[in-house]
Amino acid sequence: MNESFIGKKSSAAGGWGALKSCGKQLLQSGNPLSGARAMLKANQPNGFDCPGCAWGDPAHGSSFEFCENGVKAVSWEATEKRATPAFFEKHTVSELSRLSDYELELNGRLTHPMRYDAQSDKYLPVAWEDAFAEIGDILKSLDSPDQAEFYTSGRASNEAAYLYQLFVRLYGTNNFPDCSNMCHEASGVGLRQAIGVGKGTVLLEDFEKADAIFVLGQNPGTNHPRMLGDLRRASIRGANIVVFNPVRERGLEKFSDPQAKLEMLHGGSTDIASHYYQPLLGGDMAAVRGMSKAVFAAEDAAIASNSPPVLDHDFLSEHCADFVNYRAAVDATSWDEIEDQSGLSRHDIEQAAQVYISAERVICTWAMGITQHLHSVATIREISNFMFLRGNIGKPGAGLCPVRGHSNVQGDRTVGINEQPSDAFLDALEQEFGFTAPRKHGHNVLGAIGAMLDGSAKAFIGLGGNFARATPDSALVAKALKNLKLTVNIATKPNHSHLMPGEVSFILPCLGRTEIDLNSQGQSQVVSVEDSMSMVHGSAGINRPASPHLLSEVGIIAGIAEATVGTQTVSWAALADDYERIRSHIEATVPGFNDYNTRLRTPRGFHLRNTASHREWNTPSGKANFFAGALPSQTVHQKARTAQTSFALQTFRSHDQYNTTVYGLDDRYRGVYGERNVIFIHPDDLAALGAKSGDRVNVVGEYHDNVERIAADFRFVSYDIPRGSVAGYYPELNVLVPLGSSGDQSDTPTSKSVMVSFHTGTAA
């Protein structure tokens, strides 16, 4: 059996491997000098915000505030390759559909607006004015505005997102399926219930003050590598870094900082995790509850020995509600239950709890390893409970830190991309613009897909992203999109969503984040974004646009809006010509944006005040709320174990990938090269299956809803992962994630809780 795709894993994240990868990406772009020049402006006060991730920028930043991911993202955007009308003339949609995600986007930047021609099965060029007019006519012809779905990717700026939501609400619907529905929705829901605000409470500078940092369900080495620099500095100064992750991830073990000259010169690295625990899939809530149980035991022992208390009683009495019920719930949860569900021993959990007890200032940070389960909201509530016990909210060096993926997924929500808008926000819009806003709640991602499938949705407009590949149940989503009367995709490169056209379909090419955006007076426009730490900062492109035919996202939205709702209420052209006018409207309707245009000019922007970080609780109780619910009756891992022939699957990114964009076919941190159809599995599970690394297998979804879900022709990779758990890359494995399985209260697809089995032997 050929195992050549399995190779040596990097000894540490970052290091010379990262520098080599950066050079490779710059060379592959065809314009390495331009790419290198652009990187010097990434995340700088007079430059552009890197589209790679939502990690924060330090107040005392250096001239090199970028990472390997950033270089990949910028090089991918700044490529010299072009997907021109000639490219589309050469290939039918059916032919392009056979390309992989990597092969398709490798064709380069879109240059002209294109309209699908069903007779030839090709995209043909179309004038902007004609595209806007036809889109507007179809939207106006629908029986109800609620028959249209308006998707937003987190790459959109605050200005584009605000204009988008204004247009759609003037049109008459709150149908805003958003990329956050598929990743951090549980964070927003859980944190609003716990602390009254759906965002993290820390600043980047808090990582410099924390005594301990708990990292749960998160892989910064691949997803947001700049975080590793902050974890490295914390480790060097003696902070404990406690990791809970089912998979052994290189970036959480060791990091070699490319900016640390001596470390690079000697080929050294810095240990990141002081403690590394591998819970079973879905077992994080049990692990956190176990730590709380250990904290309570330490408190009881302190009382018995007349020692200083372990709990922060002042914080609990002054700021918290329902503590007594939570303590009772923890006491009622047995260690046997905790150990069985978490997959960790009592000793390990008590060891991690002792780190927490010994630290005065603790940060807890997490990502999609926590948020994409059935019980994700309950897990985030449990994390909040744990942090309340010693008052680790609202003090320097401590707090809750969900880390978003896309660079402005948090900002889009802040400025109004929400299918369930607050009455206060809608009231503000009505007062500012003089119209009656729709009050009926709209569709999230799963609601939108359901409406497409049952025929109640007729149109889809995607502001960035790759909806078809980001969503679960790939085959059903493809069917849903092709059912539509109208599909419109605003994009920089061709992707598979464009190859699932409705009756009428448009690809509308936009400027990238790195490109200069000029208004009618020839002045460069600045957009703004919000990072995971609620910092809002400006972004201005520096590269020449890939094509003179491109429009900005704002310009495209304005064109569609004018053709659909007219100019009686809003002068769309005026807003598109001066983004400061859009920001003035944001200032008037969104709290926290006072003096927006002025403050945006300050180096590194400004912070949106977070009430919870000041111990002000915007909850019905007026306090931080404990959650006293029970552990899940059964996690995905426990269900798989009961079934005996099943496994618990999680999907994740490779190292050469960002969301659905695949930059290359290597995953050097996991030792996989030139291959993406892989399943990571414990060596003992491989032996039990009578298989070995490199063997081919079909992966079969086990959801029992009479829908056949098969990911064909995958290859096993022996890996350090708990027995009964397996993992592999999305979007290739999204075909196995059922639409019918979503998080309680969050409606997020359960991409980390998929039951699968394997058909070994000859793959289909």
Side-chain angles (χ1 to χ4, degrees):
M1 179 64 62
N2 177 22
E3 295 188 17
S4 60
F5 71 99
I6 302 174
K8 183 179 178 182
K9 293 190 291 186
S10 298
S11 59
W16 291 108
L19 292 180
K20 181 179 178 182
S21 175
C22 290
K24 177 182 176 182
Q25 291 294 328
L26 289 169
L27 287 171
Q28 284 183 345
S29 74
N31 197 353
L33 292 179
S34 176
R37 180 176 64 90
M39 292 316 305
L40 294 177
K41 291 291 187 179
N43 302 312
Q44 297 299 322
N46 60 343
F48 62 91
D49 183 78
C50 178
C53 75
W55 190 245
D57 302 332
H60 44 274
S62 73
S63 57
F64 295 95
E65 289 299 335
F66 60 86
C67 64
E68 181 182 349
N69 264 16
V71 173
K72 290 175 181 176
V74 170
S75 300
W76 203 242
E77 182 176 289
T79 177
E80 286 291 293
K81 296 177 181 177
R82 299 288 182 264
T84 64
F87 164 77
F88 287 102
E89 174 59 32
K90 211 168 145 185
H91 304 285
T92 66
V93 164
S94 299
E95 291 169 350
L96 293 175
S97 297
R98 292 192 285 269
L99 298 178
S100 69
D101 298 278
Y102 173 65
E103 292 168 331
L104 184 59
E105 293 198 35
L106 202 60
N107 287 288
R109 292 289 302 279
L110 296 161
T111 61
H112 292 69
M114 308 294 291
R115 185 187 187 281
Y116 180 65
D117 176 63
Q119 186 173 358
S120 64
D121 191 31
K122 293 179 179 180
Y123 274 99
L124 306 177
V126 62
W128 280 109
E129 296 79 8
D130 294 339
F132 292 151
E134 188 170 8
I135 293 167
D137 286 344
I138 293 174
L139 290 177
K140 287 184 289 187
S141 74
L142 299 182
D143 294 336
S144 165
D146 291 331
Q147 291 183 329
E149 308 290 347
F150 297 88
Y151 177 70
T152 318
S153 160
R155 59 149 283 161
S157 66
N158 285 342
E159 291 75 13
Y162 185 82
L163 205 67
Y164 196 46
Q165 67 80 30
L166 178 61
F167 151 52
V168 173
R169 290 190 166 108
L170 275 166
Y171 175 59
T173 186
N174 284 311
N175 283 349
F176 285 110
D178 177 56
C179 64
S180 63
N181 299 147
M182 293 181 284
C183 54
H184 266 286
E185 192 70 49
S187 295
V189 173
L191 291 178
R192 280 192 295 274
Q193 293 173 358
I195 62 174
V197 59
K199 302 181 183 182
T201 64
V202 302
L203 294 171
L204 192 59
E205 288 68 32
D206 287 315
F207 282 80
E208 301 171 4
K209 303 166 186 173
D211 302 311
I213 301 168
F214 282 67
V215 183
L216 282 74
Q218 185 178 2
N219 179 22
T222 288
N223 299 335
H224 26 266
R226 282 197 298 149
M227 182 181 181
L228 291 182
D230 294 286
L231 294 179
R232 174 182 178 272
R233 287 184 284 274
S235 175
I236 289 172
R237 63 175 174 78
N240 281 303
I241 299 173
V242 182
V243 172
F244 288 84
N245 197 313
V247 182
R248 277 274 172 181
E249 298 289 13
R250 182 60 80 220
L252 290 168
E253 296 176 313
K254 293 179 179 293
F255 176 55
S256 180
D257 189 347
Q259 295 189 49
K261 297 181 179 64
L262 287 177
E263 195 166 78
M264 291 291 289
L265 185 64
H266 295 100
S269 62
T270 300
D271 291 340
I272 298 300
S274 58
H275 304 74
Y276 203 123
Y277 305 105
Q278 292 176 265
L280 299 175
L281 275 178
D284 300 276
M285 183 179 177
V288 176
R289 178 153 296 189
M291 288 193 290
S292 291
K293 194 172 183 73
V295 171
F296 285 137
E299 170 71 10
D300 293 343
I303 293 172
S305 63
N306 202 28
S307 300
V310 171
L311 302 179
D312 186 335
H313 290 280
D314 290 340
F315 180 83
L316 293 172
S317 61
E318 182 180 350
H319 292 286
C320 295
D322 217 20
F323 169 68
V324 172
N325 286 334
Y326 177 63
R327 173 68 197 260
V330 174
D331 289 344
T333 309
S334 70
W335 274 111
D336 286 346
E337 184 181 1
I338 290 168
E339 288 182 302
D340 185 66
Q341 193 161 107
S342 70
L344 302 175
S345 70
R346 177 174 176 174
H347 172 269
D348 284 347
I349 293 171
E350 289 178 332
Q351 182 185 60
Q354 188 55 50
V355 174
Y356 179 74
I357 292 167
S358 302
E360 288 298 316
R361 296 170 297 274
V362 179
I363 290 172
C364 189
T365 178
W366 67 90
M368 288 189 290
I370 296 296
T371 63
Q372 291 184 324
H373 293 278
L374 284 167
H375 54 278
S376 291
V377 171
T379 300
I380 289 158
R381 295 298 304 275
E382 192 71 25
I383 291 169
S384 302
N385 293 340
F386 179 59
M387 295 290 279
F388 294 157
L389 296 180
R390 288 178 49 79
N392 277 302
I393 310 285
K395 65 182 182 183
L400 298 159
C401 182
V403 179
R404 265 68 177 188
H406 248 315
S407 63
N408 199 42
V409 64
Q410 185 160 301
D412 289 352
R413 273 300 178 89
T414 298
V415 301
I417 300 297
N418 192 333
E419 78 280 4
Q420 299 183 32
S422 69
D423 287 338
F425 177 65
L426 296 180
D427 290 344
L429 284 181
E430 290 180 347
Q431 183 173 350
E432 178 74 1
F433 295 100
F435 76 107
T436 301
R439 300 278 167 161
K440 175 186 171 186
H441 287 174
H443 293 148
N444 60 15
V445 165
L446 296 188
I449 295 170
M452 294 178 201
L453 286 169
D454 69 22
S456 57
K458 304 294 185 184
F460 171 87
I461 297 181
L463 177 57
N466 185 353
F467 186 82
R469 299 295 279 160
T471 47
D473 243 336
S474 309
L476 285 178
V477 172
K479 177 183 175 183
L481 288 169
K482 292 175 182 178
N483 277 348
L484 298 175
K485 184 174 183 179
L486 171 70
T487 56
V488 179
N489 285 281
I490 301 167
T492 57
K493 284 189 169 187
N495 65 52
H496 275 280
S497 292
H498 309 161
L499 308 180
M500 301 170 189
E503 183 180 330
V504 177
S505 186
F506 291 92
I507 304 173
L508 304 182
C510 65
L511 294 171
R513 184 75 62 79
T514 65
E515 292 173 322
I516 299 169
D517 178 2
L518 299 179
N519 65 10
S520 61
Q521 288 76 46
Q523 299 168 329
S524 180
Q525 303 249 50
V526 175
V527 296
S528 58
V529 298
E530 178 187 348
D531 64 31
S532 288
M533 282 76 176
S534 299
M535 292 294 299
V536 178
H537 44 272
S539 177
I542 63 167
N543 288 338
R544 185 184 52 163
S547 164
H549 303 286
L550 302 183
L551 294 180
S552 69
E553 289 177 320
V554 170
I556 294 171
I557 294 164
I560 296 173
E562 184 168 325
T564 306
V565 299
T567 58
Q568 184 175 354
T569 303
V570 175
S571 174
W572 304 102
L575 293 181
D577 201 47
D578 186 353
Y579 297 171
E580 288 201 358
R581 292 172 179 162
I582 302 175
R583 288 191 285 271
S584 294
H585 288 305
I586 295 174
E587 178 180 338
T589 53
V590 183
F593 284 89
N594 51 297
D595 299 322
Y596 194 178
N597 283 307
T598 300
R599 288 196 291 163
L600 194 64
R601 297 190 189 98
T602 60
R604 304 197 180 274
F606 61 92
H607 184 247
L608 289 175
R609 188 176 188 273
N610 184 299
T611 51
S613 66
H614 295 273
R615 297 188 170 179
E616 300 167 11
W617 317 105
N618 292 330
T619 62
S621 69
K623 292 190 174 185
N625 294 317
F626 274 95
F627 168 69
L631 294 182
S633 58
Q634 229 183 6
T635 64
V636 63
H637 200 281
Q638 290 172 315
K639 292 177 184 176
R641 184 176 61 198
T642 300
Q644 295 185 336
T645 58
S646 297
F647 290 79
L649 166 74
Q650 66 165 320
T651 66
F652 53 25
R653 298 169 178 161
S654 78
H655 189 59
D656 257 357
Q657 173 183 0
Y658 194 75
N659 292 342
T660 58
T661 298
V662 179
Y663 300 122
L665 301 180
D666 294 343
D667 191 350
R668 71 176 189 276
Y669 289 172
R670 299 186 183 111
V672 174
Y673 298 88
E675 178 68 82
R676 287 188 56 82
N677 283 11
V678 296
I679 293 291
F680 297 92
I681 185 171
H682 192 281
D684 290 345
D685 283 333
L686 264 183
L689 289 169
K692 60 183 181 298
S693 283
D695 283 358
R696 298 185 181 276
V697 66
N698 290 341
V699 192
V700 181
E702 299 288 321
Y703 189 59
H704 308 297
D705 60 351
N706 297 317
V707 176
E708 184 180 68
R709 297 178 177 88
I710 299 176
D713 202 22
F714 277 65
R715 305 175 78 180
F716 281 131
V717 176
S718 178
Y719 209 75
D720 190 351
I721 186 171
R723 288 209 65 180
S725 294
V726 295
Y729 305 133
Y730 71 81
E732 289 83 356
L733 287 171
N734 282 0
V735 66
L736 301 176
V737 183
L739 281 173
S741 179
S742 60
D744 296 335
Q745 300 182 68
S746 69
D747 225 14
T748 295
T750 55
S751 299
K752 300 293 188 289
S753 293
V754 185
M755 286 257 298
V756 299
S757 60
F758 300 115
H759 289 184
T760 54
T762 304

